[in-house]
């Protein structure tokens, strides 16, 4: 018998808008030393499935309507709160998506780590503080934290995202769980860090023979570590099989759709770049921010060099991809070009005119020619303005539409970005993420700009939606003769969309090249590492890569 | 010219307020609140014509009597009709409540929005001014005002408005500072919209929730503040009256003549309830994220 056997699990949400079948008749099993990946888009019920096992769902509105979950002979769904506490963080541990918010900022990392050891519900297993400390340091070392004795007394903000996730993993392992549930543990991390964390999870699993449930929206990520894959959609299981059959021999339409949506492989195409003078020319651009944090010798004026001497040009009609990990300065570079961030040094020219150093008033006529698409479609739309108002605002402000033509022009814009006209009077919260990003794109193209800087426009979206938005962007670029700078941390997306790619790290451009030649033959070590870290949606190749990557 | 065009958009794009009205009409409690407030205001307006007695009509021989057929809410120690005095008091209290709060609202929201939006040095200077005014002892401030300007009702509005806007400015500033970092504000900026339009169309509407709640809390506290000021001699003087004054006199004679406290107190509570229900309703109605049904 498997370690965990879930049978016919049903979780319904009783909301004011009616019944939502979040999980509907889901069965699976996972055994010690085995990794089950649950893959699905947002709203597929993959997280709800696992949360219900540990009784972590808000009830109401959630209600478990049926099914059993036998863990080592005990039904998790029917046991009371006390025995559930016994399982939680003990036999079953969980790793959450966002390492930034899942640690308490007011307690040292060490204090949080030993908490489960010294405040254990099972009195016989309580350890002394010094023993617990030793155990925690041992674990920190095991998850690859350098100088664990020193780091034990540090606060979470002194750790980077990847390091925090390691701490979370150490915390999950401290009571020797037999089942580890990872809820998108690498989604918030950079691609190189993701590779390290995946390797760590794989190694720890092999060493300790634990069962792992790995939740992810990304099929590519799980290829290398999963033994079995369960694909979920709208609360039901679409496919459940061993990893090879899912990736190589799937018959399921939905799985095929997910696999097809992963932007991958070379795209043979003519470059869109037009000859002639470049549309944007940036020379030796530097953007520094003042750092007010206190140094050792009191408050000193220091600078964070977000962009440190970047020169680039963008030809008319081309899509220039800009990749880099978080903190590389890529977003600041985009904002600096648009004069949204204050430039410390250097010049930016647009269509032959120098726009850096212009006053806000002088910039107004230029602003309509260069627009931005933001990452988070939830934050980039005013929640109190309808689609109509959001789209009409730039049109009216720049005198592109008159009061008579505005209705028609807004409707055109909505057609352009693939939104139904009937939605005109709705507010942003009534739309899904993908639809919101369409509204944001509509606002950006409303003024008929020549340049669009897209800052991670698809990073917050599900993979199938991501593919749709990328196609929409490509379509619009061609139809409206746009020039684009496409910023992303996701190399596969950049490869899919760009003519030329720049790699940025620590404020400087590491390497620039045509997309395919850069992929085929990266010149710099950093670029090679970055490319190597991308997970492939191919289990055979990926399995070896996962473990071969250096930590 | 830009201004003109945007004024026109407002007309079309007033859907936030239209939707809010549609939603408010479905909120029974808020409608009751609104109705009570409207009735109170109308009664106050018409008081000189509909009040059963004159507000200074005394009947010293009668003295304080409990509610009766002639005097529905009883009389005070001078034999003055309580109903009449509450009606006349409402004129003062409601005017002070709404105007002083209105003043505080306008100054506070604009001050806070500008400070929060501008940030940096402008913000520092503006908020230090707020801090200085906060630190000024209210009593000394009032005494100074009285010495310089003498007693009059507009001074009352001014004095109350001058203290009440400070908290409002702080609340709004905090909201705006959080909003300023939001991408939709940056998007508006990158569209080339002027700062004033960004503040008016993108920032202020998004601060409405806490502002409305705080406003509904301010109005009753302003009414009580007026009583305190009147008690000190600023504001209004007997035989004129206000709810706050009636309550404070009522407290003195609470044991012998409880109706002198109960009725003005009930009126003020009723107003307070009405305001709170209306405020809650407005806050929900102005938030598009609450459902339309």
């Amino acid at each position: 018998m498997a370690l965990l056997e879930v049978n016919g699990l049903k979780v319904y949400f009783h909301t004011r808008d009616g019944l939502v079948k979040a999980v509907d008749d889901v069965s699976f099993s996972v055994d010690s030393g085995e990794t089950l990946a649950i893959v699905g888009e947002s709203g597929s019920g993959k997280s709800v499935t696992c949360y219900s096992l540990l009784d972590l769902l808000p009830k109401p509105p959630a209600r478990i309507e049926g099914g059993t979950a036998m863990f080592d002979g005990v039904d998790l769904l029917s046991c009371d709160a006390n025995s559930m506490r016994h399982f939680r963080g003990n036999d079953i541990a969980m790793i959450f998506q966002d390492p930034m918010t899942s640690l308490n900022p007011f307690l040292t990392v060490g204090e949080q780590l030993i908490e489960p050891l010294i405040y254990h519900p099972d009195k016989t297993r309580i350890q002394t503080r010094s023993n617990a400390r030793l155990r925690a340091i041992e674990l920190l070392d095991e998850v690859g934290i350098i100088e664990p004795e020193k780091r034990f007394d540090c606060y979470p903000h002194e750790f980077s995202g990847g390091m925090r996730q390691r701490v979370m993993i150490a915390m999950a392992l401290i009571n020797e769980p037999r089942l580890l549930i990872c809820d998108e543990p690498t989604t918030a991390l950079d691609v190189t860090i993701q590779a390290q964390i995946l390797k760590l999870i794989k190694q720890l699993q092999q060493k300790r023979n634990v069962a792992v449930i790995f939740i992810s929206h990304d099929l590519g990520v799980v290829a290398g570590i999963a033994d079995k894959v369960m694909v979920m959609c709208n609360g039901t299981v679409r496919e459940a099989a061993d990893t090879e059959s899912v990736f190589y021999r799937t018959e399921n339409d939905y799985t095929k759709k997910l696999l097809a949506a992963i932007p991958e492989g070379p795209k043979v195409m003519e470059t869109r770049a037009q000859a002639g003078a470049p549309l944007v020319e940036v020379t030796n651009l530097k953007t520094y921010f003042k750092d007010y944090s206190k140094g050792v010798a009191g408050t000193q004026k220091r600078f964070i060099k977000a962009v440190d001497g970047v020169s680039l040009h963008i030809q008319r009609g081309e899509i220039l991809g800009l990749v880099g990990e978080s903190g590389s300065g890529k977003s600041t570079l985009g904002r600096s070009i648009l004069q949204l961030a204050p430039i410390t040094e250097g010049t930016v020219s647009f269509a032959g005119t120098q726009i850096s150093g212009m006053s806000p008033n002088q910039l107004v006529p230029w602003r309509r020619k260069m627009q931005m698409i933001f990452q988070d479609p939830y934050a980039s739309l005013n929640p109190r303005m309808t689609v109509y108002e959001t789209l009409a605002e730039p049109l009216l402000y720049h005198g592109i539409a008159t009061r008579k033509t505005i209705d028609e022009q807004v409707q055109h814009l909505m057609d352009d970005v693939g939104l139904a006209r009937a939605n005109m009077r709705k507010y942003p919260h009534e739309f899904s993420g993908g639809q919101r990003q369409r509204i944001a794109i509509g606002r950006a193209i409303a003024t008929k700009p020549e340049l669009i800087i897209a800052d991670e426009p698809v990073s917050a979206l599900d993979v199938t939606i991501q593919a749709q938005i990328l196609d929409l962007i490509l379509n619009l670029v061609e139809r409206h003769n746009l020039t684009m700078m496409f910023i992303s941390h996701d190399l596969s997306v950049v490869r899919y969309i760009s003519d030329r790619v720049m790699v940025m790290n620590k404020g400087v451009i590491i390497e620039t090249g045509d997309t395919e030649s850069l992929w085929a033959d990266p010149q710099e070590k950093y670029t090679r590492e970055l490319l190597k870290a991308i997970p492939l949606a191919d289990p055979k190749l990926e399995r070896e890569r996962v473990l071969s990557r250096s930590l | 010219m830009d201004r003109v065009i945007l004024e026109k958009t407002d007309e079309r794009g007033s859907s936030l307020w239209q939707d809010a009205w549609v939603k408010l009409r479905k909120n029974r409690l808020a409608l009751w609140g609104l109705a009570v407030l409207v009735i109170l205001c109308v009664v106050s307006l018409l008081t000189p014509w509909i009040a059963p007695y004159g507000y200074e009509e005394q009947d010293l021989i009668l003295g304080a009597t409990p509610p009766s057929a002639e005097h529905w809410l009883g009389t005070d120690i001078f034999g003055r009709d309580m109903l009449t005095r509450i009606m006349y008091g409402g004129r003062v209290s409601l005017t002070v409540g709404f105007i002083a709060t209105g003043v505080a609202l306008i100054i506070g929201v604009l001050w806070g929005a500008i400070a929060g939006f501008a940030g940096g040095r402008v913000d520092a200077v503006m908020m230090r001014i707020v801090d200085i005014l906060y630190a000024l002892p209210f009593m000394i401030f009032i005494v100074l005002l009285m010495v310089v300007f003498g007693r009059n009702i507009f001074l009352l509005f001014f004095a109350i408005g001058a203290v009440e806007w400070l908290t409002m400015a702080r609340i709004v500033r905090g909201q705006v500072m959080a909003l300023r970092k939001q991408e939709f504000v940056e998007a508006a900026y990158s569209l080339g919209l002027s700062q004033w339009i960004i503040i008016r169309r993108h920032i202020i509407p998004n601060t409405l929730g806490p502002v409305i709640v705080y406003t509904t809390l301010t109005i009753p506290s302003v009414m009580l503040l007026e009583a305190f000021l009147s008690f000190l001699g600023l504001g209004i003087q007997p035989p004129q009256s206000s709810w706050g004054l009636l309550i404070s006199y009522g407290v003195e004679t609470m044991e012998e003549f409880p109706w002198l406290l109960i009725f003005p107190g009930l009126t003020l509570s009723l107003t307070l309830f009405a305001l709170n229900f209306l405020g809650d309703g407005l806050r929900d109605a102005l938030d598009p994220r609450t459902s339309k049904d």
Side-chain angles (χ1 to χ4, degrees):
Chain A
M1 196 176 127
L3 180 67
L4 173 73
E5 269 198 42
V6 175
N7 252 313
L9 177 67
K10 287 181 183 168
V11 184
Y12 295 172
F13 282 78
H14 298 264
T15 68
R16 245 189 295 174
D17 301 327
L19 187 71
V20 180
K21 297 183 177 179
V23 176
D24 201 14
D25 200 5
V26 167
S27 308
F28 60 89
S29 71
V30 56
D31 211 343
S32 297
E34 198 177 39
T35 302
L36 166 75
I38 305 181
V39 179
E41 300 187 271
S42 45
S44 61
K46 58 188 191 301
S47 293
V48 173
T49 304
C50 292
Y51 281 47
S52 62
L53 296 181
L54 284 179
D55 195 23
L56 290 174
L57 289 171
K59 299 183 198 176
R63 208 153 83 195
I64 292 168
E65 303 274 347
T68 55
M70 301 305 286
F71 180 81
D72 204 18
V74 182
D75 185 8
L76 293 175
L77 300 182
S78 61
C79 73
D80 60 66
N82 263 334
S83 30
M84 180 50 85
R85 250 191 23 230
H86 194 82
F87 284 115
R88 246 188 245 151
N90 202 2
D91 286 321
I92 307 174
M94 197 147 177
I95 303 171
F96 295 93
Q97 172 170 356
D98 192 351
M100 300 297 166
T101 55
S102 36
L103 285 169
N104 184 341
F106 285 92
L107 289 177
T108 62
V109 160
E111 188 62 33
Q112 295 182 59
L113 259 174
I114 60 172
E115 217 169 35
L117 291 180
I118 53 181
Y119 304 106
H120 202 278
D122 182 356
K123 296 273 186 259
T124 57
R125 289 175 64 177
I126 288 183
Q127 302 190 10
T128 60
R129 189 166 269 272
S130 52
N131 276 347
R133 187 187 151 93
L134 284 179
R135 171 96 184 91
I137 288 172
E138 210 178 282
L139 259 174
L140 283 176
D141 191 41
E142 198 177 333
V143 297
I145 297 223
I146 304 152
E147 297 187 337
E149 291 92 355
K150 263 192 200 164
R151 302 300 264 164
F152 185 85
D153 291 315
C154 289
Y155 285 91
H157 72 264
E158 297 171 84
F159 287 73
S160 68
M163 286 295 151
R164 284 187 219 194
Q165 198 59 296
R166 285 167 194 259
V167 172
M168 290 304 297
I169 293 171
M171 204 180 282
L173 293 176
I174 202 149
N175 266 333
E176 306 279 347
R178 287 186 288 163
L179 172 65
L180 185 63
I181 300 175
C182 311
D183 187 6
E184 307 243 11
T186 60
T187 306
L189 304 174
D190 281 325
V191 56
T192 53
I193 311 294
Q194 165 171 300
Q196 294 169 7
I197 297 291
L198 288 178
K199 178 179 175 183
L200 178 65
I201 292 175
K202 188 81 193 163
Q203 279 179 335
L204 291 170
Q205 181 199 21
Q206 287 178 348
K207 199 169 141 199
R208 292 160 179 267
N209 200 35
V210 292
V212 174
I213 298 179
F214 193 100
I215 305 173
S216 179
H217 69 284
D218 190 345
L219 266 173
V221 170
V222 306
I225 61 163
D227 300 306
K228 297 193 288 189
V229 176
M230 179 165 95
V231 179
M232 283 185 77
C233 178
N234 291 332
T236 58
V237 177
R238 290 302 168 93
E239 183 171 13
D242 60 283
T243 310
E244 265 84 3
S245 12
V246 169
F247 278 88
Y248 299 134
R249 298 180 292 274
T250 183
E251 291 297 316
N252 188 285
D253 287 338
Y254 183 70
T255 311
K256 280 183 188 162
K257 197 175 138 200
L258 279 183
L259 284 169
I262 300 173
E264 208 173 7
K267 258 186 33 167
V268 186
M269 58 174 183
E270 299 276 302
T271 174
R272 300 178 195 87
Q274 293 158 19
L279 180 67
V280 178
E281 258 197 293
V282 174
T283 334
N284 196 26
L285 181 75
K286 291 180 183 171
T287 304
Y288 294 172
F289 294 112
K290 270 187 209 135
D291 179 11
Y292 291 103
S293 62
K294 285 199 178 112
V296 188
T299 317
Q300 281 174 331
K301 225 183 203 177
R302 285 182 305 174
F303 292 99
I304 298 167
K305 299 176 177 179
V307 179
D308 198 13
V310 167
S311 299
L312 62 92
H313 64 97
I314 311 175
Q315 294 297 125
R316 275 183 195 273
E318 91 172 322
I319 300 182
L320 173 66
L322 177 62
V323 290
E325 302 188 275
S326 51
S328 63
K330 55 190 195 304
S331 291
T332 311
L333 175 59
R335 273 156 214 233
S336 302
I337 293 176
L338 290 185
Q339 307 300 308
L340 290 171
I343 294 176
T344 312
E345 217 182 290
T347 58
V348 178
S349 301
F350 182 84
T353 313
Q354 187 183 326
I355 53 167
S356 51
M358 279 187 176
S359 73
N361 281 337
Q362 285 173 307
L363 271 172
V364 168
W366 294 98
R367 290 233 175 263
R368 59 175 282 196
K369 297 190 180 159
M370 30 189 215
Q371 283 299 315
M372 183 136 183
I373 300 171
F374 296 87
Q375 170 174 5
D376 184 357
Y378 293 85
S380 67
L381 297 171
N382 185 338
R384 285 172 203 257
M385 278 166 80
T386 58
V387 179
Y388 177 87
E389 289 172 282
T390 300
L391 294 180
E393 188 173 48
L395 290 171
L396 290 168
Y397 187 82
H398 288 289
I400 295 164
T402 61
R403 182 134 163 59
K404 273 186 195 150
T405 63
I406 182 69
D407 279 14
E408 202 184 315
Q409 275 183 283
V410 169
Q411 283 171 354
H412 268 302
L413 216 46
M414 293 184 71
D415 295 345
D416 246 6
V417 294
L419 282 168
R421 290 182 177 194
N423 290 329
M424 204 156 82
R425 300 280 168 204
K426 285 192 183 165
Y427 290 93
H429 71 97
E430 296 170 76
F431 293 96
S432 66
Q435 285 173 313
R436 288 190 209 201
Q437 201 56 298
R438 285 174 192 270
I439 302 171
I441 292 171
R443 177 179 56 191
I445 63 165
T447 57
K448 303 217 180 312
E450 291 166 48
L451 171 73
I452 289 186
I453 293 186
D455 187 3
E456 306 251 13
V458 295
S459 305
L461 305 174
D462 277 331
V463 56
T464 55
I465 310 295
Q466 180 173 318
Q468 290 168 14
I469 297 290
L470 286 177
D471 286 336
L472 171 71
I473 290 176
L474 282 175
N475 181 326
L476 290 172
V477 163
E478 271 162 37
R479 231 166 353 123
H480 295 285
N481 191 26
L482 294 168
T483 306
M484 179 173 275
M485 182 155 133
F486 191 97
I487 303 170
S488 180
H489 72 282
D490 188 335
L491 291 107
S492 320
V493 167
V494 170
R495 183 186 196 185
Y496 178 75
I497 202 166
S498 318
D499 300 301
R500 204 152 56 88
V501 176
M502 288 194 322
V503 181
M504 196 171 177
N505 187 30
K506 294 181 182 153
V508 293
I509 302 292
I510 301 282
E511 187 168 1
T512 312
D514 291 335
T515 309
E516 283 321 313
S517 46
L518 189 107
W519 244 260
D521 184 20
Q523 297 299 311
E524 300 293 327
K525 182 164 170 277
Y526 180 76
T527 317
R528 279 198 293 274
E529 272 171 19
L530 214 54
L531 291 176
K532 228 171 72 186
I534 311 171
L536 301 173
D538 186 332
K540 278 180 192 152
L541 289 176
E542 187 61 18
R543 256 181 216 154
E544 283 159 31
R545 281 164 46 110
V546 163
L547 291 175
S548 71
R549 279 177 199 130
S550 57
L551 262 182
Chain B
M1 151 144 167
D2 291 330
R3 282 297 302 277
V4 177
I5 289 168
L6 278 176
E7 293 306 336
K8 281 184 187 160
T9 3
D10 276 1
E11 212 182 289
R12 282 219 54 117
S14 62
S15 42
L16 180 65
W17 296 95
Q18 283 166 8
D19 288 351
W21 176 233
V22 170
K23 276 196 261 176
L24 191 67
R25 274 195 309 204
K26 287 180 183 153
N27 185 335
R28 182 93 47 87
L29 272 179
L31 276 193
W32 272 110
L34 184 65
V36 168
L37 286 178
V38 167
I39 292 170
L40 284 170
C41 289
V42 169
V43 168
S44 296
L45 262 178
L46 300 180
T47 294
W49 295 280
I50 60 171
Y53 300 88
Y55 73 94
E56 39 196 355
E57 258 176 57
Q58 295 186 355
D59 189 345
L60 290 171
I61 300 156
L62 183 66
T65 56
S68 62
E70 290 88 57
H71 300 283
W72 291 354
L73 303 184
T75 56
D76 67 5
I77 46 171
F78 301 111
R80 292 179 296 198
D81 180 57
M82 271 313 277
L83 178 62
T84 310
R85 291 189 60 72
I86 288 174
M87 284 165 82
Y88 273 101
R91 285 164 75 85
V92 174
S93 286
L94 289 173
T95 321
V96 170
F98 287 123
I99 293 186
T101 306
V103 169
L105 192 67
I106 291 166
I107 303 177
V109 169
L110 284 179
W111 193 277
I114 291 168
F117 190 73
R121 222 161 267 165
V122 180
D123 175 45
V125 171
M126 288 176 86
M127 291 325 283
R128 289 307 78 74
I129 293 176
V130 169
D131 289 346
I132 290 168
L133 290 178
Y134 251 124
L136 216 63
F138 185 55
M139 295 281 281
I140 295 180
F141 178 62
I142 299 298
V143 171
L144 270 177
L145 279 181
M146 274 176 66
V147 170
V148 178
F149 296 105
R151 177 194 304 152
N152 88 49
I153 189 118
F154 293 103
L155 206 56
L156 191 72
F157 298 151
F158 177 76
I160 294 176
V163 282
E164 292 293 335
W165 72 267
L166 299 171
T167 315
M168 184 69 85
R170 280 196 171 171
I171 292 174
V172 173
R173 170 177 173 265
Q175 290 276 312
V176 170
M177 284 178 72
L179 282 169
R180 192 171 58 131
K181 299 270 185 320
Q182 297 260 333
E183 286 183 345
F184 70 84
V185 173
E186 198 167 8
Y189 191 64
S190 75
L191 283 171
L193 302 188
S194 75
Q195 300 211 345
W196 171 237
I197 288 174
I198 294 176
I199 290 182
R200 204 168 50 99
R201 283 174 59 84
H202 293 275
I203 303 258
I204 290 181
N206 281 294
T207 62
L208 282 176
V211 166
I212 287 173
V213 171
Y214 183 70
T215 305
T216 54
L217 294 177
T218 304
I219 294 178
S221 80
V222 159
M223 290 179 178
L224 292 175
L225 199 57
E226 173 271 324
F228 167 68
L229 291 181
S230 301
F231 198 73
L232 284 182
L234 183 81
I236 54 149
Q237 287 305 306
Q240 273 194 319
S241 106
S242 70
W243 292 343
L245 265 185
L246 289 175
I247 289 172
S248 59
Y249 288 133
V251 170
E252 289 169 20
T253 56
M254 185 167 67
E255 277 164 25
E256 300 122 287
F257 317 119
W259 59 92
L260 294 188
L261 175 62
I262 289 170
F263 292 115
L266 277 180
T267 321
L268 191 67
S269 312
L270 185 68
T271 317
L272 205 147
F273 272 115
L275 276 168
N276 276 328
F277 288 138
L278 181 64
D280 276 359
L282 269 178
R283 185 196 52 197
D284 290 346
L286 281 169
D287 188 348
R289 277 161 291 199
T290 57
S291 77
K292 274 180 194 166
D293 338 285

